[in-house]
Structure formats: C-alpha cells, structure tokens
Amino acid sequence: MTSSQHICRICGAFGDHPIFTGREMMFGTREEFAYFKCTECGCLQIAEIPDDLGRYYPPNYNAHNIKISCSHNKLKAFLLKQRFRNAIFDKGYKVNKILSYFVTMVVPKIEGVLPVTKVLKICHLKNFSARILDVGCGNWSIWLQRLKLMGFVNLTGIDPFISSSLEKCGIRILKQSIAQTEGQFDLITFHHSLEHIINQQEFLTHAQRLLAPDGVILIRIPTVSSYAWEKYGVNWIEMDPPRHLYLHSKESINLLGQQAGLELFETLHDSYEFEFYGSEQYLQDIPLVADSSYWKDKNSSIFSKQEIAAFKMLAEEVNRKGVAGRAAFFFRAQTHK
C-alpha cells in the first residue's frame, strides 16, 4: 500500500489517500488497477476510470448472459399469490390459512440470502400494482421475474448496454439509461449495479426524480465497511477491478444519498459464502471463471464440504454483526420539517 493525492469523487476531500492495487481476476487477465481509499468518507474508488470500460464486459459476462424462462404452474402461481398477499401486505389472513393446507409457500430469496418478503415489507408497498423499476439489470432481471411469480404486475428493468429492448413474461426490459426514463415508481432497485456507475451523484439524483410519494430506493452494493475487506484487502472478490468503480463505506453511501436528496432509513446485510470462497480463490491466484473454480464447478476439489459449510457460517456471522461485505441500503426522499 502506498499513498497519493487525489480528489474523492464522493465527498470532495483532496489529500494523500492510501493507494491499493487490485487485479482483474473474474476472467483472470490479472491486469492491475490502482484504487484510493478516501481518508474522509472511506469510499474506495478507482484512481483512473478506463476509457474502454466496455471491453471488461465481454459477451460471457454474467449479467448479460442470463437465460430467460417463463414456465410456471398457473394454479400454483394463483394460490401462492394469495399467500404472498398476506405475507407482504398483511391481507387475506383467513384465506391464507385455508390455502396453507393446499400449498406450501417457499419464500424466494435474493441470491439465497435475503427473503424477498422481508425486503418488500420494509419498502411498504401497498399492493401488487406497485410500480417497480430495476436499474442496470442486464438483459434480464431475475429479481423482477421473482416478483412476477409472486403476483406483481408493473415491472420494468432498464439497462443502456443491452443489445435491444424486450417484453417477456409480463416484464419490460428497456434499452435506456435512467436519465431517459420517465414516470413514477414506488420501488427503484439497484442490485449490484451502482458500483459500476461513473457519475454516482447525478445517477442517484435521477432515481430520486422518479420516486413516487412514499417511494423507496433499494441499493445493494459491496461495502468496504466489512470484515472481508479488512481480511482480504485487494484479494477481496467484491473489489472486482476495474468493473467496480466504487466500493462504498457505510458513511460514503449515506453521504451520496444525502447529496441526491435522500435519507437512509434501513440497512440489511446480505453476504453469503461466495464472498469467502471467492476471496480465498483469489489468494490462490484462481480466477472466478477458471475450470477449478468452485463458482464454476461445485464438485471442484478446491474446498471440502466442511470448508464451504464454514464459509456459510462465517457469512451468517458477519451479517448478524453488521460487518458483511454486502449490504442493502433503503432510502426515501428527504423530509423537511
């Protein structure tokens, strides 16, 4: 670690911020990139944004390579919708009790960690007609697909970098930026997309503009306010140079929200074993997409079942203690008394 003078793009602090050199390890090019960590707000950010960022998102990049499926049992979907109606909106208790004899509600989770019903209750949505926008979703949004199966009907995703717009399964995915988006939304989500955005304040201000009264913005990002960053440093898998331009601290994401006219009202931590086995692989110089990667092949002999179980337990612990490397931040428009 060295230090050099830079201006923080989040809080504006100019100074001798510590420098960290990370490597591109998702695809294993091992190209090096300098990041600096602001001494004031704690945000870790890339020192020089590459002019050719697009080349670090090849066709096999995961977010642009999602398989789309709309298949589901219509009767089961109807019954589950009635049960989710109770779980999310606290309506139809008697009906839900009857339905419980016929169908078991498997609560979908976000990447196997956060229960979707818990997230939606925090957002205080009123009914299945809530207008929901997913920003930076790639060619398809698994998040919106889950919401569709739960019963939501007004679902839109946007991403300016996909090949074309599409409408499938009752979900619209539009090839456009947030600056080009109009209308009002009750819930706007950023599922690990904000860290890829260059102009953070401008981008989040556009999102605030699109909020309906009492609307919520949910931002899920990696955070350096974490045990994993302290333990792994530049081998932390969530650093992901150069695609992750910003690795916010809890202080810097709160500040960014304030700059965009938002207030933070809830935080959930949602790391899972990926954060630990991925970082351990990088320590061993094993790229994420390597044939020997546990992420690519769960039958890989890199880690034993006992080690994976230990990573899961560690993820649960850091989530419980509030020091996880992934967190979900809930914002609403600032209230002025």
Side-chain angles (χ1 to χ4, degrees), residues 22 33 46 50 60 88 113 117 160 168 184 187-188 197 222-223 227 232 274 281 290 297-298 306 336:
F33 298 89
I46 197 165
N60 60 332
I88 303 169
V113 182
T117 50
K168 197 166 184 177
Q184 285 192 324
L187 174 59
I188 300 174
I197 301 301
T223 172
Y227 169 83
Y232 296 107
F274 168 79
Q281 284 187 187
D297 180 7
K298 295 296 187 291
Q306 291 77 15
H336 301 282

Side-chain angles (χ1 to χ4, degrees), residues 51-231:
D51 294 329
D52 55 348
L53 263 177
R55 77 181 180 91
Y56 299 100
Y57 296 89
N60 60 332
Y61 181 69
N62 195 44
H64 294 167
N65 196 32
I66 299 174
K67 294 181 180 179
I68 302 172
S69 173
C70 302
S71 61
H72 62 276
N73 183 293
K74 290 185 179 180
L75 175 60
K76 185 176 180 180
F78 171 77
L79 297 176
L80 282 173
K81 178 179 177 179
Q82 304 313 309
R83 295 209 65 193
F84 281 121
R85 182 168 170 262
N86 172 253
I88 303 169
F89 311 120
D90 296 319
K91 296 179 180 178
Y93 173 75
K94 290 182 179 179
V95 174
N96 178 65
K97 197 167 185 179
I98 295 170
L99 288 174
S100 65
Y101 293 106
F102 299 97
V103 60
T104 300
M105 183 174 66
V106 179
V107 179
K109 294 185 178 182
I110 305 173
E111 291 178 313
V113 182
L114 287 181
V116 174
T117 50
K118 182 176 183 179
V119 170
L120 294 176
K121 284 180 75 70
I122 291 173
C123 296
H124 301 296
L125 300 180
K126 294 180 174 59
N127 51 54
F128 286 118
S129 296
R131 299 155 294 181
I132 300 174
L133 177 69
D134 192 20
V135 181
C137 61
N139 74 307
W140 188 244
S141 173
I142 302 291
W143 159 253
L144 294 182
Q145 183 174 337
R146 286 173 179 156
L147 296 185
K148 178 66 177 178
L149 292 174
M150 293 172 73
F152 289 91
V153 293
N154 290 322
L155 304 171
T156 305
I158 58 172
D159 196 309
F161 300 110
I162 58 176
S163 57
S164 61
S165 299
L166 67 90
E167 185 165 349
K168 197 166 184 177
C169 315
I171 300 169
R172 294 189 307 159
I173 305 294
L174 304 177
K175 178 180 170 60
Q176 65 186 43
S177 69
I178 196 167
Q180 297 170 309
T181 304
E182 299 295 336
Q184 285 192 324
F185 297 90
D186 302 294
L187 174 59
I188 300 174
T189 59
F190 296 82
H191 292 282
H192 290 276
S193 58
L194 186 67
E195 59 265 40
H196 300 260
I197 301 301
I198 296 175
N199 302 314
Q200 299 260 295
Q201 184 180 340
E202 176 185 348
F203 203 82
L204 206 53
T205 300
H206 279 302
Q208 193 269 1
R209 168 182 62 85
L210 296 171
L211 268 186
D214 301 321
V216 172
I217 294 177
L218 166 60
I219 300 175
R220 295 179 61 238
I221 51 172
T223 172
V224 291
S225 301
S226 62
Y227 169 83
W229 165 251
E230 296 299 327
K231 177 177 175 62

